[in-house]
């Protein structure tokens, strides 16, 4: 299949909170978009239906039919295989276990669907349209509920021998650390994610530590979010600052590992928790500096992700566009 | 420069204990070899002299002059840059710090010298002539005094943005673990190397634990080696078995990280400590299985390195042969 300039594809980002779809042209520009709540706790049929409904709406907005599409890129959190199109397991979508997700969507649309990990898609998005333009070897990290990552090597996404790479969020940084849903202990995301930050804040509050964090959460420790902690920290709350500093420390330990392993030229950080900004990221980079080889650390540049919630969506679209021209290269910028 | 079938190169493996050299032909066959003790505690001049003397001897053995050589591949433990030819730091060769090692050897021989990390060289050796023949994505790990690694992606060594990758031995697996020479804490090699095993054995002995390990070390706790512990374990000593099981556990934690990060098809394990064999490696693989995603673990195969002490030597030679033909591919097998 040859990619013409008038090729249009759909990118889908199926997340634990939202399903996002967009029609994207061969230049990487969004022509229409749609967003809906993901029925995350329901069975696979309901989730697939939500995806298809969003696709129908976005096609309507673009005044297109499915037959006008080149192909579809479907990004989803969790362990999936681009080759089989099967989603094996997703932490945020428990109803999707060993589901042939690409096939299910493909059957309804009559168009080729490529399934990929959402962080890998976001890495591709940032590479072509965001903070990593021009990079050859870089790592995208998203810190939110969990921690995901995508590794770009020589300008291409690295997916490993059968498409499962990479899962840096499940790199052990404290072998006796908290139990992870994956079955291991002390995975990076059990200590450095938004969930980890919130859990530690609640634990300190329940232990009776003096803090104003509860003022931001209607007095309910169970409802404390990372955003509440951030607000309290900005207002000078000591515990809130301690909680963020602790999370930053663990973010930095994991970054040091990735630096020593990959010698990347660039690390791009996205995800909801990164919105805390310098208060979280500066001490994280400092901890990484303390731990990584100085020569390797000096070679790395850090950047904030630029595409926000659109990175997965755009990356999924760009990935299928790249596959379509058969060269692994895109006609965009 | 075009590689002809009669091209001959020299591979050098400069280690903390020995300097090994070999003349290797374009088919990857050793035509002559030499080995000498490394003056590891001396200054760089003495170390370079030892390398040059070994090269002189191996050329004599092969009835060749330096002018007959295509080029030279020089593998060395530590952080080095293939582009600048500088060795920045080497744990086992403290005299070599920010030394332009490739230039120094090049000046004397009048031939191009390519400097590379010894574990990267060993990975190349195992890929072309050893346990990883035919693999596309694999990781070579050497467990000895420290832990080194080389990552092969799409059939080529992955060296990162400026040649420092990869240093998996300095991946943190216990953020509050033992202090590492690199400045970090709880690096994989502080817990899973031969040095770590020996330190823990000595510590237990000094704490008065009942064991026969000392019988293998002339009664001197300070002289206990990994080999002594292995012998005592084979004879049924409880502490020796515990020490090996503990090391295996940590080996497994690090392997799980590499599996989750790289989704490799194969992990090849070499280095002195791996000679303990199944007693160390089987429980290590079991721990990796407990920690890695089941789907990713199922996709990996483990193998013992096949080239032993020759892996770095041969890999360094093969790497320069590959660079010479300008295609990154070799005419061997």
């Amino acid at each position: 299949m040859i990619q013409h300039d008038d090729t249009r594809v759909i990118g889908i980002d199926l997340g634990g909170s939202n399903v996002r779809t967009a029609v994207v042209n061969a230049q990487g520009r969004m022509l229409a978009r749609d967003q809906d709540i993901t029925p995350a706790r329901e069975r696979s049929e309901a989730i697939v239906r939500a995806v298809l409904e969003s696709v129908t709406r976005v096609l309507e907005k673009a005044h297109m039919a499915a037959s006008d599409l080149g192909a579809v890129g479907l990004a989803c959190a969790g362990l999936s295989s681009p080759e089989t199109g099967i989603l094996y397991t997703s932490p945020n979508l428990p109803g999707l276990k060993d589901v042939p997700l690409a096939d299910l969507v493909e059957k309804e649309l009559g168009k080729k669907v490529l399934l990929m990990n959402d962080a890998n898609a976001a890495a591709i998005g940032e590479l072509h349209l965001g903070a990593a333009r021009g990079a050859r070897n870089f790592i995208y990290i998203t810190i939110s509920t969990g921690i995901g990552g995508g590794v770009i090597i020589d300008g291409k996404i690295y997916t490993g021998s059968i498409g499962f790479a990479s899962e840096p969020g499940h790199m052990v940084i404290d072998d006796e650390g908290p139990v992870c849903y994956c079955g291991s202990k002390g995975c990076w995301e059990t200590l450095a994610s938004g969930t980890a930050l919130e859990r530690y804040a609640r634990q300190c509050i329940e232990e009776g530590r003096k803090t104003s964090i509860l003022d931001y959460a209607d007095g309910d420790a169970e409802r404390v979010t990372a955003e509440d902690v951030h607000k309290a920290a900005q207002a000078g709350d000591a515990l809130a600052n301690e909680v963020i500093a602790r999370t930053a420390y663990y973010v930095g330990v994991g970054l040091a590992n990735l630096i020593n392993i990959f010698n990347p030229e660039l690390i791009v950080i996205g995800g909801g928790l990164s919105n805390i900004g310098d208060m979280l990221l500066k001490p994280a980079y400092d901890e990484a500096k303390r731990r990584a080889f100085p020569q390797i650390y000096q070679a790395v540049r850090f950047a904030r992700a630029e595409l926000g919630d659109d990175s997965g969506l755009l990356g999924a679209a760009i990935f299928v566009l790249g596959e379509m021209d058969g060269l692994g290269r895109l006609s965009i910028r």
Side-chain angles (χ1 to χ4, degrees), chain A residues 283-312:
Chain A
Y285 301 154
D286 288 344
E287 184 61 28
K289 186 176 183 178
R290 272 189 287 275
R291 294 205 178 237
F293 277 104
Q295 294 87 349
I296 313 186
Y297 185 86
Q298 276 164 28
V300 73
R301 193 165 57 81
F302 295 100
R304 300 275 297 277
E306 288 179 3
L307 302 181
D309 291 341
D310 291 341
S311 59

Side-chain angles (χ1 to χ4, degrees), chain A residues 119-173:
Chain A
N120 284 359
I124 295 169
E126 293 291 340
L127 175 67
H128 287 277
L129 299 169
R133 273 171 298 191
R136 298 296 301 167
N137 293 292
F138 97 93
I139 300 174
Y140 170 81
I141 294 294
T142 170
I143 312 178
S144 57
T145 318
I147 295 182
V151 176
I152 300 285
I153 292 177
D154 261 347
K156 288 194 308 187
I157 187 76
Y158 175 73
T159 56
S161 67
I162 53 168
F164 289 148
S166 59
E167 290 289 350
H170 298 278
M171 152 179 83
V172 175
I173 63 166

Side-chain angles (χ1 to χ4, degrees), chain A residues 59-105:
Chain A
L59 283 171
E60 270 171 24
K61 290 176 190 176
H63 309 293
M64 284 171 63
S67 57
D68 298 330
L69 290 172
V72 175
L74 171 49
C76 188
L79 213 61
S80 62
S81 159
E83 272 156 47
T84 63
I86 294 173
L87 183 71
Y88 292 95
T89 175
S90 180
N92 304 320
L93 300 164
L96 296 181
K97 214 169 158 54
D98 302 323
V99 171
L101 199 54
D103 278 0
L104 291 173
V105 179

Side-chain angles (χ1 to χ4, degrees), chain A residues 2-9 23-27 31 64 68-70 321 324 331:
Chain A
I2 301 297
Q3 177 196 341
H4 297 290
D5 267 355
D6 59 353
T7 301
R8 285 160 297 177
V9 300
V23 175
V24 177
N25 70 12
Q27 288 72 46
L31 305 179
M64 284 171 63
D68 298 330
L69 290 172
L321 282 165
M324 286 169 65
S331 58

Side-chain angles (χ1 to χ4, degrees), chain A residues 8-15 18-25 28-36 38 51 54-55 58 61 71-77 114 116-126 128-129 140 307-322 330 332:
Chain A
R8 285 160 297 177
V9 300
I10 280 187
I12 304 172
D13 187 355
L14 174 57
N18 295 288
V19 50
R20 296 185 175 90
T21 56
V23 175
V24 177
N25 70 12
R29 203 161 66 81
M30 268 194 214
L31 305 179
R33 61 183 302 162
D34 185 77
Q35 180 170 339
D36 201 1
T38 306
V51 168
S54 183
V55 167
V58 84
K61 290 176 190 176
V72 175
L74 171 49
C76 188
L114 290 184
M116 70 199 82
N117 175 272
D118 60 345
N120 284 359
I124 295 169
E126 293 291 340
H128 287 277
L129 299 169
Y140 170 81
L307 302 181
D309 291 341
D310 291 341
S311 59
L313 199 59
L314 284 167
I318 288 170
F319 182 74
V320 287
L321 282 165
L330 295 170
I332 54 169

